[in-house]
Amino acid sequence: MKKRDISQINEKIDNGEANIYTAEEFKKLIKEDNAPSFDEVDVVTTGTCGVMSGTAAILNFIVSPPGEFIKADKVYLNGVPAFAGPCPNEWLGEVDVILHGTTHSIDDVNYGGGFLLKEIMEGKSVDVRVESVDGKVIENTITRDDINRAQIIGSRMAFKNYTAFTNPGSEEVSSIFAATPLKGNLSGLTFSGCGDINPLQNDIPHNVINTGKRVLLNGAEAYILGDGTRSSPQKPNLMLSGDMTRMDPYYFGGFKTGQGGEIYNTIAIPIPVLTEEIYNNLLIQDIDVSIPVADIKGRHLPLGETNYYELWKDYDLRPKYDRQKCSSCSECEAELVCPTNAFSDKSLDLSRCFGCGMCSSFCSHDAFDMDTGSVDIKINEKEVNIPIICRQSDRLRANKLSLKLKKMIKSGEFKL
Ligand code: SF4
Ligand code: SF4
């Protein structure tokens, strides 16, 4: 069996001779029957972007001069409750907090930790309210520059084996798997997962994706801390951590669901091709990655099965909005369902768009041009065709971060 070690790959990188592909590029060559051989590929950069509920931030910032209060009891940032501590910072006027990406504002269930953290990184002002153990209330405004330390910890990220959901019942069901209640009678399908570009999908035995490995999390260097919570050989995921102040807000943010605000992240992981086994694992394609389709209510009771080729094919990754076709409805459904607020005031901000497809599914006058496709699934011996109405993973962002990682490795900015 052929082998090479990491120092050989690093030497090729230093000499500008390394063959580095993004997973998107590599899979395209496989499809064209033109896959580079083991000798012709040194590194493949994989990626994924999606709603990752287990995301929290540890923040430290000053709210008052020292001596004004004993220690924080309750802390709110733009109305989003954060956990004070663990460090009590007694009499110091500063607070350590842990903020969950899935915690909702006390004023608005659709605004939560994910939206807040993105706003902090975009440099926006944030209202802070501290209720102290000695009964004082301190109110202040902070920006990114006032935050001394901000670290993201993801307790279950880069998940590999997802389930797609539909609603076979007659009544609509509200869930975290779509921004709006899922209507019944198999009228729509929602799914997550980036298929064959997902890091863990390309290294199922964890030959190289393991504890201590350096990765990119939302554009910044981060590290794998180990397995994520609820990780199992069948459904692996990772625990990661990185410095939030170095992250690019394009790659993370809030995502509205039927159960309120969630948070999405983007991850890219390099796979050095050290052995033929590692190489062979990279040959997996969307069509090989199956995904069960389950009842949104039962969650784990599959109704049928499909695969990521059927889910992604060459469907559109972003919508086009045609103002001429917009009928200026009194209540804009597209705006209401847009999970990232990318469509607002009849304007589409592509830098915030997640490519979920909800706007084109819900606009009542076809003002959006976006084909997100449909899948044929056998349910109870009957073939049914279900339109894909919501994608909770974003292949465009995942591919962009994989490309950024490839460039960073090539330039020597990111060492393997
Ligand atoms: S639902 Fe569609 S047609 Fe109606 S206001 Fe919104 S974008 Fe325009
Ligand atoms: S695809 Fe449409 S609904 Fe989804 S994030 Fe983009 S603008 Fe919003």
Side-chain angles (χ1 to χ4, degrees), residues 319 334 337-340 342-343 348 352-360 370:
V337 299
C338 177
T340 60
F343 187 70
L348 173 60
R352 289 178 183 274
C353 177
F354 196 79
C356 70
M358 296 284 282
C359 50
S360 76
M370 185 183 194

Side-chain angles (χ1 to χ4, degrees), residues 326-329 332-334 343 346 363-365 368:
C326 175
S327 300
S328 297
C329 315
C332 174
E333 278 294 322
F343 187 70
K346 311 288 177 324
C363 167
S364 37
H365 292 88
F368 293 86

Side-chain angles (χ1 to χ4, degrees), residues 102-410:
T102 50
T103 301
H104 304 148
S105 154
I106 51 173
D107 307 311
D108 177 4
V109 72
N110 283 323
Y111 181 84
F115 291 95
L116 169 70
L117 294 174
K118 188 180 183 96
E119 284 177 21
I120 290 174
M121 287 312 296
E122 286 173 333
K124 294 186 179 148
S125 297
V126 171
D127 294 331
V128 179
R129 177 186 168 92
V130 173
E131 295 170 11
S132 72
V133 292
D134 47 338
K136 299 200 174 126
V137 174
I138 297 98
E139 290 184 312
N140 210 333
T141 302
I142 60 163
T143 67
R144 173 187 170 146
D145 295 339
D146 300 309
I147 295 182
N148 304 315
R149 185 78 176 85
Q151 184 84 5
I152 294 268
I153 295 192
S155 64
R156 66 191 297 263
M157 296 183 130
F159 200 72
K160 178 169 85 70
N161 288 32
Y162 285 102
T163 303
F165 296 104
T166 186
N167 179 6
S170 51
E171 305 208 335
E172 60 181 30
V173 177
S174 185
S175 81
I176 57 168
F177 296 104
T180 188
L182 204 54
K183 292 204 168 68
N185 304 315
L186 305 170
S187 56
L189 181 123
T190 157
F191 78 93
S192 303
C194 286
D196 65 8
I197 62 166
N198 183 304
L200 289 172
Q201 206 68 63
N202 284 278
D203 183 25
I204 291 170
H206 291 237
N207 284 316
V208 290
I209 300 181
N210 40 42
T211 305
K213 173 110 181 163
R214 192 182 310 130
V215 304
L216 282 188
L217 173 59
N218 302 324
E221 269 189 16
Y223 289 88
I224 298 176
L225 303 182
D227 286 343
T229 57
R230 282 159 53 197
S231 186
S232 67
Q234 294 73 36
K235 291 180 176 282
N237 63 82
L238 301 169
M239 193 174 286
L240 303 180
S241 188
D243 182 346
M244 190 178 103
T245 61
R246 304 182 66 172
M247 292 180 187
D248 178 346
Y250 170 75
Y251 289 110
F252 70 108
F255 191 97
K256 281 189 288 186
T257 74
Q259 294 291 309
E262 277 270 343
I263 181 165
Y264 72 86
N265 293 276
T266 314
I267 295 156
I269 302 184
I271 302 202
V273 188
L274 300 170
T275 65
E276 276 181 296
E277 188 201 340
I278 292 171
Y279 171 83
N280 289 335
N281 288 331
L282 288 164
L283 299 176
I284 196 162
Q285 295 183 69
D286 277 337
I287 199 154
D288 308 318
V289 188
S290 59
I291 170 169
V293 178
D295 180 339
I296 188 83
K297 267 189 163 169
R299 294 272 305 259
H300 297 297
L301 301 170
L303 300 164
E305 192 173 272
T306 185
N307 61 61
Y308 279 97
Y309 172 73
E310 293 299 327
L311 293 174
W312 286 110
K313 284 191 185 165
D314 290 323
Y315 296 135
D316 298 330
L317 293 180
R318 289 291 183 267
K320 289 191 191 92
Y321 169 61
D322 185 345
R323 212 176 283 266
Q324 309 296 323
K325 289 189 186 160
C326 175
S327 300
S328 297
C329 315
S330 54
E331 194 171 58
C332 174
E333 278 294 322
E335 187 169 330
L336 282 177
V337 299
C338 177
T340 60
N341 301 326
F343 187 70
S344 134
D345 294 331
K346 311 288 177 324
S347 165
L348 173 60
D349 179 351
L350 282 173
S351 71
R352 289 178 183 274
C353 177
F354 196 79
C356 70
M358 296 284 282
C359 50
S360 76
S361 298
F362 284 84
C363 167
S364 37
H365 292 88
D366 292 331
F368 293 86
D369 179 8
M370 185 183 194
D371 180 10
T372 50
S374 62
V375 283
D376 290 320
I377 299 170
K378 208 171 199 176
I379 297 179
N380 297 333
E381 302 302 311
K382 232 175 96 189
E383 279 282 345
V384 281
N385 181 270
I386 310 179
I388 297 166
I389 59 159
C390 181
R391 303 189 290 212
Q392 290 192 316
S393 288
D394 181 6
R395 263 198 167 186
L396 191 77
R397 272 188 175 77
N399 284 330
K400 275 194 179 178
L401 196 61
S402 304
L403 184 61
K404 179 183 166 94
L405 178 57
K406 169 181 158 170
K407 288 181 179 166
M408 287 172 78
I409 295 170
K410 274 202 156 177

